[in-house]
Amino acid sequence: MEGETIVQQILKALDLHSDQLRQQMKEMEERLRAEIQDTENRLRTELQETEDRLRAEIQDTENRLYTKIRETEDRLHQKLLDLEKRTDARFERLETKMNYWRLEWSETQETVDFLARKTLQHERKLRSRAEQNEIS
């Protein structure tokens, strides 16, 4: 009987020890779950913060790009206006020169017409005198 009692006590000790091990494992499992949950929550928070920072940086970059695009558009528009003004001024100068040349041409034509008439008159007079000299 003594052997049975010893076996019973050993079994009881083993049972008690296994209960303690189960309890410790359960506590470890709960701590691990809590740590995993805590780590998951921290990672989610960090991911959300990173996402928010990236969205803010993207928005800031987009705003700066739009601003630069607008500035470039404004500069190009101003350059186009300046070019248009210079072109208009050059055309006006060219038109003024052409008007001057037309006037010069007209005056030259009038002078040529006048000289042609005078030359014709002199030729007639010369012919007339030549005819009178031949007749006389």
Side-chain angles (χ1 to χ4, degrees), residues 21-108:
L21 283 175
R22 277 190 204 106
Q23 183 62 33
Q24 286 177 354
M25 286 181 68
K26 194 172 189 176
E27 289 172 1
M28 279 177 48
E29 184 181 347
E30 288 174 5
R31 282 194 313 255
L32 279 173
R33 283 183 190 210
E35 283 185 39
I36 288 171
Q37 187 64 40
D38 184 46
T39 303
E40 185 179 329
N41 289 340
R42 278 196 327 261
L43 284 173
R44 283 187 184 172
T45 301
E46 285 181 31
L47 280 173
Q48 186 63 45
E49 289 172 356
T50 302
E51 182 182 342
D52 292 345
R53 275 195 319 271
L54 286 173
R55 285 185 193 276
E57 286 180 29
I58 288 170
Q59 186 64 42
D60 182 51
T61 303
E62 185 178 324
N63 290 340
R64 281 186 286 134
L65 283 173
Y66 279 136
T67 301
K68 287 210 177 250
I69 288 171
R70 282 190 207 107
E71 289 171 356
T72 304
E73 281 180 344
D74 291 344
R75 277 196 320 271
L76 286 174
H77 187 259
Q78 188 58 46
K79 284 183 179 182
L80 186 61
L81 288 176
D82 292 345
L83 181 62
E84 194 175 302
K85 285 179 186 176
R86 286 194 338 249
T87 303
D88 286 347
R90 286 182 177 174
F91 275 125
E92 286 177 17
R93 286 196 306 266
L94 185 59
E95 191 175 309
T96 301
K97 284 181 182 180
M98 287 180 68
N99 287 339
Y100 172 75
W101 290 339
R102 279 189 195 114
L103 180 63
E104 284 282 318
W105 175 255
S106 177
E107 289 175 356
T108 302

Side-chain angles (χ1 to χ4, degrees), residues 111-131:
T111 303
V112 167
D113 289 346
F114 174 77
L115 289 174
R117 278 193 311 274
K118 287 297 181 182
T119 303
L120 196 58
Q121 284 176 0
H122 286 299
E123 282 182 14
R124 282 186 195 145
K125 279 184 182 178
L126 287 173
R127 270 192 236 130
S128 170
R129 286 193 182 161
E131 286 176 7

